Amino acid sequence: IMIDVDHFRLFNEEEGHDAGDTVLRKVAEAIKSMLRPYDLAARYGGEEFTVVLPGAGEVETMTIAERIRQKIAQIEFVATSGRTRHVTASLGCATMPKIAQEAVPLLKAADEALYQAKRSGRNRCGSYRARRLPGFRRAPGRSLHRRCFPRSGRHHRRYDC
């Protein structure tokens, strides 16, 4: 799972870098609280995080991603001015070995799903299905398309991106 805090640069510019660091710590705590004991979360750079879910398939990955998204959306930051700011994030998911056989193509797929989620309105989870990137393989009998899920998190109501 690739996670990017929505509009973080704007937040950082308006509230300052110390406030931005506080928000990133709160986001990291929210992510960690939603993971299983053997999962791995790391800051990937800037306002991006990566989560590795060993053994998780597409449905389980999307379920955990949606829980993370909802937990992050509960974060409220009160600025020194007294203004309350809400934090949201966009998430992109890809699974191994269904989508990719190696880490680099898997990260590229999750990153593409992340940016599709951002282009679809932010504060949502997107999933990538194998398509055009090196290292991808087609799963037998599976259609090849990206998917974005509505904010409600009801995965049975999918919207093609």
Side-chain angles (χ1 to χ4, degrees), residues 2-119:
M2 295 289 290
I3 304 167
D4 188 77
V5 179
D6 295 330
H7 304 293
F8 184 76
R9 178 178 290 165
L10 181 63
F11 180 89
N12 224 12
E13 290 171 0
E14 291 176 359
E15 303 297 340
H17 293 286
D18 289 342
D21 289 345
T22 300
V23 167
L24 290 176
R25 279 193 295 279
K26 288 183 177 200
V27 168
E29 290 168 10
I31 293 168
K32 187 177 176 183
S33 73
M34 295 290 105
L35 299 182
R36 305 168 298 184
Y38 49 88
D39 293 334
L40 173 68
R43 187 168 172 196
Y44 195 67
E47 70 276 7
E48 287 190 337
F49 295 85
T50 300
V51 176
V52 177
L53 306 171
E58 184 179 15
V59 173
E60 187 175 9
T61 299
M62 287 300 297
T63 300
I64 293 170
E66 179 59 22
R67 288 181 191 148
I68 292 170
R69 187 198 64 76
Q70 290 174 2
K71 186 73 170 180
I72 291 171
Q74 293 173 1
I75 297 172
E76 291 184 347
F77 179 81
V78 179
T80 54
S81 64
R83 179 180 173 196
T84 300
R85 307 274 309 248
H86 295 274
V87 179
T88 62
S90 299
L91 295 83
C93 302
T95 56
M96 187 180 238
K98 183 177 179 182
I99 300 300
Q101 299 294 317
E102 298 176 10
V104 172
L106 184 69
L107 285 170
K108 286 181 181 179
D111 196 50
E112 187 167 323
L114 164 67
Y115 283 98
Q116 185 61 41
K118 284 191 166 291
R119 286 188 296 267

